[in-house]
Amino acid sequence: AQKVTQAQTEISVVEKEDVTLDCVYETRDTTYYLFWYKQPPSGELVFLIRRNSFDEQNEISGRYSWNFQKSTSSFNFTITASQVVDSAVYFCALIQGGSEKLVFGKGMKLTVNP
Amino acid sequence: NAGVMQNPRHLVRRRGQEARLRCSPMKGHSHVYWYRQLPEEGLKFMVYLQKENIIDESGMPKERFSAEFPKEGPSILRIQQVVRGDSAAYFCASSPIVAGLIYEQYFGPGTRLTVT
């Protein structure tokens, strides 16, 4: 079975604070893919990052960084110096090897206050 | 390069009517996926199609729902005899497929279906 858990449902921070969004996944396969998507208030889903199970290298893209740790089955997402425009629901998702369907976590609503 | 197109953006149907949701994938993408977002259930996979083929429909309700991706034209998600519980946001996504590798799925803006 495959499952994605985002334990935090809602976080509120003040602008310029750093915030980390947790994601824990479960899968039996050794080959899998992890994703983060952003859903701003306008409602569309925006792709942020894809990671495959063989690549544990962490990634940084501007103020965004991702920490992938197979030992703890986690794929956490950090926003540094948060901005009001970061306010959105963030989804972590998993594709298990041999499948092409995204399994989403329940999402985490981030509110960044000015 | 235009993104994934979905129409209509908003659709209101009375109970018992049919709803047709359309999706045009990104140029060069041959795989289409449909997902449904219900307020209490989150985002759930419904169906995965390639041109003229349904590859995986394990998330589709057994009755009233169908999907197609014809050789020409957009993918269609069809809901017959809609009920209030069908009210949700329906998202379409597309991805390229290169040598069997998994790539990210790019989502359309969604169709918000309201059943009155």
Side-chain angles (χ1 to χ4, degrees), chain A residues 6 21 23 35-37 47-49 66 75 77 90-92:
Chain A
Q6 295 180 255
L21 287 58
C23 173
F35 303 80
W36 276 95
Y37 283 87
F47 164 75
L48 295 178
I49 189 170
W66 290 268
F75 187 42
F77 173 28
Y90 290 86
F91 292 94
C92 181

Side-chain angles (χ1 to χ4, degrees), chain B:
Chain B
N1 190 8
V4 178
M5 312 279 281
Q6 285 189 253
N7 66 79
R9 295 290 303 275
H10 300 274
L11 182 62
V12 179
R13 284 286 178 266
R14 292 196 180 126
R15 278 181 300 169
Q17 290 185 320
E18 178 179 287
R20 282 193 179 220
L21 288 62
R22 292 174 185 76
C23 169
S24 296
M26 286 178 72
K27 189 176 180 181
H29 288 191
S30 56
H31 292 218
V32 166
Y33 313 81
W34 286 93
Y35 293 84
R36 178 165 66 173
Q37 186 173 30
L38 287 161
E40 299 304 318
E41 295 184 15
L43 277 156
K44 300 287 187 188
F45 167 82
M46 299 181 75
V47 63
Y48 158 40
L49 311 101
Q50 297 177 23
K51 285 282 187 183
E52 300 184 282
N53 281 308
I54 296 174
I55 307 301
D56 182 349
E57 57 181 346
S58 57
M60 286 278 270
K62 294 284 185 277
E63 296 177 352
R64 302 186 297 107
F65 285 72
S66 62
E68 62 176 12
F69 188 16
K71 189 175 179 181
E72 301 291 335
S75 175
I76 307 280
L77 179 67
R78 184 178 173 213
I79 311 172
Q80 294 179 291
Q81 299 176 325
V82 296
V83 301
R84 289 227 171 94
D86 297 332
S87 295
Y90 292 82
F91 288 95
C92 170
S94 71
S95 75
I97 290 294
V98 179
L101 298 175
I102 299 293
Y103 284 83
E104 53 272 17
Q105 296 175 18
Y106 292 92
F107 283 78
T111 293
R112 270 102 186 134
L113 172 66
T114 302
V115 179
T116 61

